[in-house]
Amino acid sequence: MTNTTIERTTPVTDATRRTPTTRERMAAGSRFALPGLLVVFIIVFSILNPTTFATLANARTVLSTQSVLALVAMAALLTLVIGEFDLSLGAQMGLSALLLPGLTANGAVPIPLAIVLSILATTLVGLCNGLLVAKAKVNSFIATIGTAALIGAIVLAYSGGTVIFLGVPPELINISSFAPLGIPAPVIYVAVIAVLVWVFLKRTPFGRYMSAVGGSKDAARLSGINTDIVTIVTFMLAGTLTGIAGVVQAGQLGSGNPAVGPSFLLPAFAAVFLGATAYQVGQFNVWGTITAVVTLATGVAGLNLLGLPNWVEPAFNGVALLVAVSLTRYLRGKPL
Amino acid sequence: MTAVDPRPDALTVEHLSKTFSGVTVLNDVSLTIAPGEVHALLGQNGSGKSTLIKALAGVHRPDAGGSVHVAGRPVPSSYPPSDARKFGLAFVHQDLGLIDDMTVAENLAIGTGFERRGLLINGRAQRMRTQTVLDDFGLAISPGATIRELPVTARTLLAIARAFQPSRGANATPLACLILDEPTSALPDNDAELLFAAIERVTAAGVGVGYVTHRLEEVFRIADRATILRDGNRSGTYTVSDMTPASLFTAIVGPKQTDGAVTAPRGSRTGETTSPIVLAAAGLSGRRIQGADLTVREGEIVGVAGLAGSGRSELARLIFGSQASTGGTRRIGARELTSASAREAMDAGVAMVPEDRRRDGCVLTMSVAENITIAKLATNRTGLLDLRRERRQVADAISSFDIRPADPRRAVATLSGGNQQKVVLAKWLARKPSLIILDEPVQGVDVGAKAEIFALLRSTAEAGTGVLVIDSDFDNLANLCDRVVILRAGRIVDELTGSRLTTEDMSRATFGVDDEADVITTTTSQEPKE
């Protein structure tokens, strides 16, 4: 018998013909679990810590310290949508955050031009990643480990391994410190970019092509999509976002620290995967990612204010990610 | 075969049936393979050969009531595929099951276990054992070579050697029966003799060989007996030396149907040779396809009939440009296609519904709406998606193609095969193609959806689109097509129209049995088909 008949006779699952099971109902409800958790955190910590947690100042601090992570997470989101990993995102952010103060030191390059150059540098890194993955057909996981190492080398060579602070113009911190209507600038950057990324993914043909490439490269190609271009441009856009993240980071530090960057990589991926358990379950999505960043930061801030030891933070992050992803895996009956 | 053989049969299958959710695909099949015999298993596409082999290999669990004995010992009713060799039963499937990146020695060890010293692999002993096996089959390859470096013939022989090699361990069962599933389909023509020599080495050791093939000349070259399956039934077992190619062919396709019910033609609109040509391919060549000339006219439904491995899907890919051609030209209307690019073909008005729907046809993780519109996205003046127009377009498609459930936001992965295929068709027909190529369009599609899809293709053709359809079920082609070209071993060898457009003529042409008079006068001595 050919496969024809075998396939034809395999039982067809059609969820509409029966009432949803408990698991399916839970799966449907689970998309609001993450924002629900955020609300619970805010209420619980506000009750436990009314004088320190439930203040506007605390909210500002939590949000603005997480803005760099949120931007890197959105860069990771873009590459994950097309089914690729970019493990150089942390290093890219570090490169931009070092270049900006480095270039502006002693007035060598005006700040606006230095910002553009820093972002261009990481976009160029993204182009290299994209070419390696799309044209040289190197597995993205491996290719971007390679570029991350090279960026690390460039950062060390450029900085000499020390913090660049001599001659850095003090106006640099204006990038991140000004606060119109009391809203910290980094929060505004994140909000604007999140909306742009959301429009880009959900409202443009290119965003659709990205989902198609991530879903099935073969089907995308056979539907007339230039999968190479989609891959290359996506890596470049991720580079642009990490460049912006680096600029914000430099504005917060006011100097160039060669050690900053790589430590952002894993939390960024954790936020995207955690975010995929919210709103559109099983899909990497912008608002889930942002919610995940804020929820984790709120939890950690609350625990810190309670005076818990510092190992609680990574433990909390790890447990949150594993529980959320495993639970979603179970509820959906298939991996993310 | 010799008449009296004291040994038990290598394989005895009795009353084996297999039903898939109510549909019987294998019905009460019995057969025996004697020790040292080459026993051919023959049948058309869909006759039940693959199901029989998969049931024996432990992939499918047969229905209750049947029994299988290997070398006289009963085999349990259900077992994992990895256990088959323990009963003395081994298989060489078409994909061979070798691991490309591992060495010859490692691949041989995977079936039977590594030579060990304590917990560690004993490399030297492993190589020595490998060398013994290789020498046994006259294979001049290094035990340390990776499979990837080997030519395809050497891989096939290695797969046979692996199945045949003595098992490690004290209570290991020697090989009693080896089943080969179309082993020559991937081989270069001249290398078949090497394979036959390897098979002789196996049978000389008293192993019974089950040999699945579509090539009748191979049956006469090596087989002692042949069992023929037709529509899931065993239609007979024959001693090959008593048969002629024509009589064997008749046994495979069944007695000639005189009522003509199956082959009711699609209508008398076959002679429209004046319509403009939408596809003109000349001398198109690829890996398997050699010098294919093919034209499709506006409003015409042209079928491609061929056996598995004849190059049907490659022909579709070459025309669409998803595979680079090695020669020849293709024109869509007045436009010549020059590059191996699906985009170029699409811009010229070609659509293709690929064979592997789940991998190539649709993006399973995306919604019905996103799949329908992916090949033709509606945008507004700003370049953003025009979601309102898209919603309307998708709602229209869902109702006119009757896609169920009618939920545009549902992931395509959760739809039935027939509805997935309708989504793929909706995607392509939205582009109003001048030529649509369909590779197995109703594979894995239920009967109702199949009729709907065929009706859709007819009305598409009536609207002026040229349709090129590949289907391994020749009844479908006879039903649907104005004209059918026959593909055999990579070449277009014949074209059937009018009264010759029958399932039987297609079968005969694809098998390459041309002597019609001989076929009709020869009748089988076995029970007639019900």
Side-chain angles (χ1 to χ4, degrees):
Chain A
M1 197 47 42
T2 62
N3 292 332
T4 315
T5 318
I6 293 165
E7 267 200 37
R8 183 184 302 153
T9 52
T10 349
V12 169
T13 47
D14 188 343
T16 55
R17 291 197 194 135
R18 51 200 170 75
T19 51
T21 60
T22 315
R23 189 164 104 166
E24 282 163 355
R25 259 185 260 116
M26 279 175 68
S30 74
R31 54 209 203 97
F32 297 113
L34 189 65
L37 187 65
L38 176 59
V39 172
V40 169
F41 277 164
I42 292 173
I43 294 171
V44 169
F45 289 127
S46 297
I47 293 168
L48 291 176
N49 251 327
T51 50
T52 49
F53 183 87
T55 61
L56 208 57
N58 185 43
R60 274 197 210 114
T61 314
V62 169
L63 289 176
S64 58
T65 51
Q66 295 305 313
S67 55
V68 177
L69 176 60
L71 291 168
V72 178
M74 280 190 276
L77 165 73
L78 292 180
T79 55
L80 285 171
V81 166
I82 62 164
E84 306 286 358
F85 280 88
D86 187 344
L87 301 185
S88 70
L89 293 173
Q92 287 184 38
M93 193 279 277
L95 174 67
S96 164
L98 183 75
L99 272 182
L100 177 54
L103 290 171
T104 55
N106 302 316
V109 181
I111 291 178
L113 181 60
I115 290 176
V116 172
L117 289 175
S118 302
I119 295 174
L120 269 182
T122 52
T123 308
L124 194 69
V125 173
L127 174 65
C128 296
N129 284 335
L131 288 172
L132 282 169
V133 173
K135 295 296 182 187
K137 313 278 182 214
V138 183
N139 181 311
S140 62
F141 203 89
I142 295 156
T144 55
I145 286 180
T147 46
L150 286 176
I151 296 167
I154 292 168
V155 163
L156 272 182
Y158 187 79
S159 67
T162 57
V163 175
I164 299 176
F165 63 93
L166 280 177
V168 175
E171 298 81 35
L172 198 63
I173 60 164
N174 288 347
I175 295 170
S176 297
S177 66
F178 88 105
L181 304 171
I183 305 167
V187 177
I188 298 172
Y189 302 146
V190 171
V192 170
I193 287 170
V195 170
L196 288 177
V197 171
W198 175 74
V199 169
F200 183 71
L201 286 176
K202 291 292 164 192
R203 293 285 186 273
T204 66
F206 196 87
R208 278 289 168 79
Y209 297 157
M210 285 170 64
S211 304
V213 170
S216 166
K217 206 161 266 183
D218 291 312
R221 194 166 31 79
L222 291 173
S223 299
I225 296 169
N226 188 332
T227 54
D228 286 355
I229 295 287
V230 170
T231 303
I232 292 167
V233 171
T234 302
F235 273 100
M236 288 177 71
L237 288 173
T240 306
L241 285 185
T242 53
I244 296 171
V247 168
V248 175
Q249 176 73 12
Q252 285 176 341
L253 292 177
S255 60
N257 186 339
V260 83
S263 63
F264 280 76
L265 181 69
L266 295 181
F269 274 97
V272 181
F273 278 99
L274 192 54
T277 66
Y279 309 122
Q280 293 158 293
V281 179
Q283 285 184 34
F284 301 114
N285 65 84
V286 175
W287 304 120
T289 302
I290 299 289
T291 309
V293 170
V294 175
T295 306
L296 289 179
T298 307
V300 168
L303 293 173
N304 280 341
L305 289 176
L306 288 178
L308 294 173
N310 56 359
W311 55 261
V312 171
E313 175 176 345
F316 171 75
N317 286 342
V319 169
L321 180 67
L322 291 178
V323 168
V325 174
S326 322
L327 204 62
T328 311
R329 167 78 178 78
Y330 165 74
L331 290 173
R332 277 162 53 84
K334 59 177 186 243
L336 280 172
Chain B
M1 285 313 301
T2 46
V4 183
D5 196 328
R7 293 171 295 179
D9 282 323
L11 177 73
T12 310
V13 176
E14 283 174 318
H15 308 297
L16 196 74
S17 297
K18 177 65 197 171
T19 309
F20 289 103
S21 44
V23 180
T24 302
V25 293
L26 207 56
N27 183 21
D28 195 21
V29 168
S30 302
L31 72 96
T32 58
I33 298 180
E37 175 190 36
V38 176
H39 192 115
L41 272 171
L42 307 173
Q44 286 182 279
N45 296 331
S47 59
K49 299 188 303 288
S50 301
T51 309
L52 174 61
I53 290 170
K54 284 179 180 164
L56 292 174
V59 176
H60 294 324
R61 184 189 187 135
D63 298 347
S67 71
V68 176
H69 289 73
V70 175
R73 285 184 302 275
V75 165
S77 64
S78 165
Y79 48 88
S82 55
D83 275 5
R85 184 62 182 81
K86 289 182 190 157
F87 310 130
L89 190 57
F91 297 84
V92 175
H93 297 290
Q94 281 175 52
D95 66 4
L96 303 180
L98 299 172
I99 298 169
D100 283 351
D101 287 321
M102 291 175 78
T103 65
V104 169
E106 286 166 334
N107 269 283
L108 284 176
I110 279 169
T112 50
F114 286 89
E115 294 291 340
R116 283 189 292 190
R117 188 189 292 131
L119 285 173
L120 303 178
I121 292 171
N122 183 341
R124 184 185 300 170
Q126 185 63 39
R127 273 193 300 279
M128 277 170 59
R129 181 155 71 87
T130 306
Q131 199 58 57
T132 316
V133 173
L134 295 178
D135 291 346
D136 207 23
F137 278 84
L139 274 166
I141 52 180
S142 154
T146 59
I147 300 302
R148 209 175 277 292
E149 304 165 33
L150 300 182
V152 64
T153 307
R155 295 183 202 189
T156 307
L157 298 183
L158 184 65
I160 292 173
R162 178 172 72 168
F164 181 65
Q165 67 180 330
S167 295
R168 286 177 73 259
N171 53 356
T173 321
L175 183 68
C177 182
L178 174 65
I179 309 275
L180 305 173
D181 190 0
E182 297 199 47
T184 53
S185 63
L187 294 191
D189 283 347
N190 305 329
D191 286 4
E193 286 302 324
L194 292 172
L195 174 79
F196 299 154
I199 291 175
E200 270 164 31
R201 215 167 261 121
V202 173
T203 52
V207 174
V209 171
Y211 190 89
V212 179
T213 186
H214 280 304
R215 299 182 180 174
L216 299 187
E217 67 273 16
E218 289 174 7
V219 176
F220 288 97
R221 170 69 182 75
I222 60 164
D224 302 297
R225 288 189 299 163
T227 290
I228 291 167
L229 294 180
R230 200 194 304 147
D231 299 332
N233 298 292
R234 186 186 71 115
S235 76
T237 297
Y238 307 87
T239 303
V240 171
S241 54
D242 295 347
M243 304 290 281
T244 66
S247 61
L248 199 58
F249 170 77
T250 309
I252 290 169
V253 300
K256 192 176 176 69
Q257 269 147 342
T258 47
D259 55 347
V262 180
T263 58
R266 183 167 87 86
S268 48
R269 40 180 302 282
T270 53
E272 297 173 27
T273 48
T274 51
S275 325
I277 291 173
V278 286
L279 167 70
L284 206 56
S285 300
R287 279 194 287 272
R288 198 166 287 179
I289 293 289
Q290 296 301 321
D293 298 325
L294 183 65
T295 57
V296 177
R297 290 175 183 277
E298 263 183 24
E300 195 181 27
I301 303 185
V302 177
V304 178
L307 295 167
S310 59
R312 298 169 301 184
S313 296
E314 182 176 296
L315 181 63
R317 288 195 299 268
L318 290 174
I319 295 170
F320 190 56
S322 53
Q323 179 184 330
S325 61
T326 56
T329 60
R330 57 209 165 96
R331 268 206 334 272
I332 301 299
R335 180 166 170 181
E336 171 129 17
L337 301 183
T338 49
S339 63
S341 146
R343 187 76 236 179
E344 190 195 17
M346 281 169 65
D347 290 343
V350 186
M352 180 160 99
V353 176
E355 178 180 16
D356 189 338
R357 177 170 56 238
R358 298 177 68 80
R359 192 190 69 197
D360 299 335
C362 44
V363 183
L364 293 175
T365 51
M366 288 172 82
S367 70
V368 169
E370 288 169 329
N371 268 282
I372 288 176
T373 55
I374 192 69
K376 186 171 182 270
L377 287 170
T379 50
N380 58 25
R381 273 174 287 108
T382 55
L384 296 184
L385 293 172
D386 188 340
L387 292 186
R388 194 175 308 152
R389 191 141 60 93
E390 177 174 300
R391 264 196 296 277
R392 217 179 314 122
Q393 185 191 331
V394 169
D396 288 350
I398 286 176
S399 72
S400 65
F401 288 82
D402 192 25
I403 294 165
R404 291 179 199 197
D407 176 4
R409 301 172 63 150
R410 179 176 276 271
V412 166
T414 64
L415 264 54
S416 70
N419 283 296
Q420 286 178 351
Q421 192 69 305
K422 287 184 200 169
V423 167
V424 179
L425 283 167
K427 167 175 92 175
W428 287 114
L429 293 179
R431 294 179 57 87
K432 307 212 178 322
S434 57
L435 173 73
I436 183 164
I437 306 165
L438 304 105
D439 194 354
E440 304 284 356
V442 291
Q443 177 173 299
V445 165
D446 63 87
V447 184
K450 178 171 139 181
E452 289 176 284
I453 287 170
F454 281 175
L456 200 63
L457 293 180
R458 289 196 188 95
S459 63
T460 304
E462 256 144 46
T465 300
V467 179
L468 184 67
V469 55
I470 295 166
D471 202 315
S472 45
D473 186 337
F474 296 159
D475 286 343
N476 290 341
L477 292 180
N479 252 318
L480 189 67
C481 298
D482 302 312
R483 186 154 67 83
V484 169
V485 297
I486 306 296
L487 203 55
R488 198 162 67 223
R491 293 179 186 278
I492 293 179
V493 292
D494 202 354
E495 180 177 309
L496 306 180
T497 49
S499 61
R500 289 183 67 211
L501 194 50
T502 64
T503 305
E504 202 204 19
D505 282 291
M506 275 181 247
S507 296
R508 185 181 301 124
T510 50
F511 274 102
V513 179
D514 300 322
D515 191 355
E516 192 170 350
D518 190 16
V519 170
I520 291 166
T521 51
T522 315
T523 49
T524 67
S525 55
Q526 305 294 317
E527 75 268 35
K529 181 177 174 285
E530 68 270 52

